[in-house]
Amino acid sequence: DAGVTQSPTHLIKTRGQQVTLRCSPISGHKSVSWYQQVLGQGPQFIFQYYEKEERGRGNFPDRFSARQFPNYSSELNVNALLLGDSALYLCASRLLPGQGYEQYFGPGTRLTVT
Amino acid sequence: KQEVTQIPAALSVPEGENLVLNCSFTDSAIYNLQWFRQDPGKGLTSLLLIQSSQREQTSGRLNASLDKSSGRSTLYIAASQPGDSATYLCAGRYNFNKFYFGSGTKLNVKP
């Protein structure tokens, strides 16, 4: 079975632009989470979605938004990009959102803002 | 505020050595703790998941322990190999939907 997939792999944007990142969870997984990983640091939680509803949000500004589709895939949108948004964006899926379920991560999308 | 800390930030050992990576967390009300491996520029690979009711988990040459009372978890790697070189991250789950990561320990195993 395919793991978590993300697209695109790399992306270069200019300050002020908008970007959309995509994630497809492992088949059968219904919960998707997004993380931002700045170079040299651990990932930071942005959002969790389950059954198309937002179930959790980290400390990120409203420029960040996401949604989940009926097939459980997800998109992360970032508006008005800043240089500090440059990071590796990771998507993770779980079978269900409960505490006992292991997270599986995709390869990430490397976003560079110039 | 939940915080997860990993020490040391980097570690270099000769091949064949047994080693321990440390992870500390500030809030003992942890649901579970997960150890990951990350290769440069790549995503995270799950290594071990320990539930709050468990004391340890083992997978091959890896053994992870969890001590909630002291706020510590350790990842033990036996007979290290150059292929083990990577950054190791621990992450604690504190409620339904939030996961807090440490900054990682970058491991270099020298041939």
Side-chain angles (χ1 to χ4, degrees), chain A residues 52-110:
Chain A
K52 298 181 291 180
E53 291 188 6
E54 182 184 303
R55 297 302 183 101
R57 171 187 282 258
N59 293 326
F60 281 81
D62 292 343
R63 298 185 296 108
F64 289 77
S65 64
R67 56 179 175 170
Q68 187 177 32
F69 299 97
N71 66 354
Y72 303 110
S73 66
S74 178
E75 288 183 350
L76 175 69
N77 296 284
V78 186
N79 294 323
L81 285 167
L82 303 174
L83 295 179
D85 295 331
S86 295
L88 180 68
Y89 288 84
L90 296 163
C91 172
S93 78
R94 285 191 289 165
L95 182 64
L96 294 172
Q99 66 189 67
Y101 294 93
E102 197 167 341
Q103 285 198 108
Y104 296 88
F105 282 79
T109 293
R110 173 72 61 186

Side-chain angles (χ1 to χ4, degrees), chain B residues 41-70:
Chain B
K42 305 291 186 180
L44 278 63
T45 300
S46 178
L47 298 174
L48 290 163
L49 170 67
I50 311 175
Q51 303 294 349
S52 60
S53 58
Q54 297 174 321
R55 297 284 294 186
E56 64 179 76
Q57 283 283 346
T58 298
S59 176
R61 294 183 294 109
L62 305 179
N63 175 276
S65 68
L66 177 64
D67 185 343
K68 289 178 58 178
S69 61
S70 67

Side-chain angles (χ1 to χ4, degrees), chain B residues 14-52:
Chain B
E15 181 178 3
E17 191 163 298
N18 301 326
L19 59 100
V20 174
L21 306 181
N22 295 298
C23 173
S24 300
F25 44 93
T26 55
D27 188 343
S28 62
I30 194 168
Y31 282 10
N32 61 45
L33 189 133
Q34 196 166 353
W35 282 92
F36 295 89
R37 168 186 172 137
Q38 186 173 33
D39 292 289
K42 305 291 186 180
L44 278 63
T45 300
S46 178
L47 298 174
L48 290 163
L49 170 67
I50 311 175
Q51 303 294 349
S52 60

